[in-house]
Amino acid sequence: MKELLLKLTNGQKLTKGEMSLVAQSLFEERTSDSEIASVLTALRVRGESAEEIAAIVEVLRENAMTVHPQAFNVMDNCGTGGDGSSSFNISTTSAFVLAGAGAKIAKHGNRSVSSKTGSADVLEELGIALDFTGDEVEELLETNGIAFLFAPYVHPRLKRIMKVRTDLGVPTIFNFIGPLTNPVELQTQFLGVYRRDMLMKMAAVLNQLGRSRSIVVNGAGHMDEASLAGENHLVLLDQGELIPFTLKPEEVGLSTYPNEAIRGGDAKENADILLKVLNGEPGAYLDTVLLNAGLGLYSCGIASNIKDGVERARESIASGRALEKLNYLKEYSKLRKEAMSS
């Protein structure tokens, strides 16, 4: 560990095998908090390679809860966080819209780290359980088309590493790898990153992790979601090919809004925004979800193009199917809680 840590602090890149050894050592009791912090800081200062990111993700998934869903073409939609936009929970809201349009969504998320309200915070406010077992996740994907996987529950051995990450208080490699460590074997992914210079690298990581088709986005204003504020920069991963492109909201029939128009708040405020969107209240919140869900539907192949994806997302909301997915998850959580307390 000390030899590899020295390489890192000297600015040298590690091979995938070396990074795997470092990642495994992060779980060992003999590794100190200061050594964990040094690894995270050194990677942040020098910049993580695609091989290093893929290596640590694979080790983390090996140490995660086991989930083997029967559903094919399961996807996740998640941003890395760290953009400082204080937006509402865009990807969480979009997840229900994606599921309502026919996608199978294994939504992997956490409480807030660099933002005010994380996906787990808003879902908990809505009455959704955060401790679904692997079997329950499999059941929910089969019956409801969407399940939530709470990162600390899914990755119980990460507790000490997460404490160090929180103490550091700055974005680290875990901002990038968090959305990649979903224990479900994903075929596709819609991933947002707050750093535009990481677009191609993260698409390359998704390719190394075996995704057949995915989209990585850095939004206007450097958001980790697609934004209505202007030009979005994206990379499509399609069967190993990385295809960069840009997208403006007007190209898919949506209005332009400044990023300030989609500010969120605490868990209760963001839960209220989520419900307003799923009930079809027009405005910047709704259109932002339509854009992101539309991209997600194109990413997983349900939509033939992004505009088609936006229209399918609109229908998912207008028909009530997106809201039904949320209500199913709430009722499932309620009945589960009653059964456990009886």
Side-chain angles (χ1 to χ4, degrees):
M1 174 66 173
K2 292 191 184 299
E3 181 184 335
L4 295 176
L5 182 55
L6 185 61
K7 286 185 70 173
L8 278 175
T9 54
N10 285 336
Q12 295 175 262
K13 289 185 178 180
L14 302 186
T15 65
K16 193 171 183 181
E18 287 174 333
M19 191 67 234
S20 294
L21 291 174
V22 170
Q24 288 162 2
S25 73
L26 296 179
F27 289 100
E28 297 173 1
E29 288 298 323
R30 64 181 180 178
T31 303
S32 67
D33 286 1
S34 60
E35 286 176 317
I36 295 172
S38 296
V39 169
L40 300 182
T41 304
L43 286 168
R44 172 174 166 75
V45 170
R46 190 253 293 153
E48 308 87 348
S49 71
E51 291 76 16
E52 288 168 336
I53 296 171
I56 194 168
V57 166
E58 288 171 358
V59 170
L60 293 175
R61 293 185 74 245
E62 288 168 6
N63 285 274
M65 180 177 78
T66 302
V67 188
H68 295 299
Q70 299 300 309
F72 179 69
N73 199 20
V74 180
M75 73 173 292
D76 192 1
N77 70 313
C78 189
T80 57
D83 64 7
S85 67
S86 301
S87 63
F88 75 107
N89 297 92
I90 298 169
S91 64
T92 306
T93 311
S94 300
F96 293 106
V97 180
L98 287 164
K104 295 286 187 182
I105 306 295
K107 185 77 175 80
H108 184 247
N110 207 339
R111 297 194 185 279
S112 63
V113 176
S114 57
S115 61
K116 193 171 182 181
T117 306
S119 57
D121 300 304
V122 74
L123 291 174
E124 186 177 53
E125 178 68 27
L126 290 164
I128 294 171
L130 302 183
D131 59 347
F132 292 127
T133 66
D135 288 344
E136 287 171 329
V137 169
E138 293 170 21
E139 178 188 346
L140 284 165
L141 284 172
E142 190 66 28
T143 59
N144 192 42
I146 181 169
F148 181 69
L149 297 95
F150 181 42
Y153 186 76
V154 170
H155 304 282
R157 298 188 64 193
L158 268 179
K159 188 174 182 180
R160 189 160 67 102
I161 301 172
M162 290 299 98
K163 179 186 178 300
V164 173
R165 175 192 175 192
T166 303
D167 289 345
L168 283 172
V170 295
T172 69
I173 189 172
F174 279 87
N175 282 86
F176 298 119
I177 67 175
L180 306 177
T181 59
N182 195 320
V184 176
E185 198 67 43
L186 303 173
Q187 282 74 45
T188 186
Q189 193 154 358
F190 178 50
L191 173 67
V193 295
Y194 71 96
R195 279 174 47 189
R196 193 159 293 170
D197 63 320
M198 292 291 288
L199 277 170
M200 290 296 286
K201 186 181 292 185
M202 294 304 285
V205 172
L206 290 173
N207 186 41
Q208 287 195 30
L209 294 174
R211 309 289 192 264
S212 58
R213 184 177 164 92
S214 293
I215 289 178
V216 186
V217 61
N218 175 258
H222 295 272
M223 286 187 66
D224 68 330
E225 313 274 1
S227 166
L228 300 169
E231 188 173 70
N232 297 278
H233 291 249
L234 309 98
V235 177
L236 169 67
L237 163 64
D238 189 10
Q239 305 299 328
E241 187 178 1
L242 305 184
I243 307 164
F245 67 102
T246 59
L247 179 72
K248 294 179 179 179
E250 56 266 31
E251 295 174 40
V252 290
L254 295 172
S255 300
T256 300
Y257 290 91
N259 286 335
E260 290 75 20
I262 55 169
R263 288 270 172 86
D266 60 19
K268 186 179 187 310
E269 290 172 296
N270 283 10
D272 288 342
I273 293 169
L274 184 151
L275 290 172
K276 287 176 181 177
V277 170
L278 296 190
N279 279 290
E281 183 174 305
Y285 295 122
L286 173 63
D287 283 7
T288 298
V289 168
L290 292 177
L291 178 59
N292 282 274
L295 282 161
L297 291 170
Y298 178 59
S299 173
C300 70
I302 287 177
S304 57
N305 55 57
I306 300 167
K307 191 168 185 179
D308 177 43
V310 169
E311 292 311 309
R312 288 174 183 267
R314 196 186 301 276
E315 173 59 21
S316 173
I317 294 171
S319 66
R321 291 193 302 270
L323 186 59
E324 285 173 7
K325 299 297 182 181
L326 169 63
N327 289 336
Y328 187 105
L329 208 50
K330 288 169 64 176
E331 184 65 16
Y332 186 96
S333 298
K334 179 185 174 185
L335 294 174
R336 178 181 182 270
K337 184 177 180 179
E338 291 172 355
M340 291 173 72
S341 60
S342 63

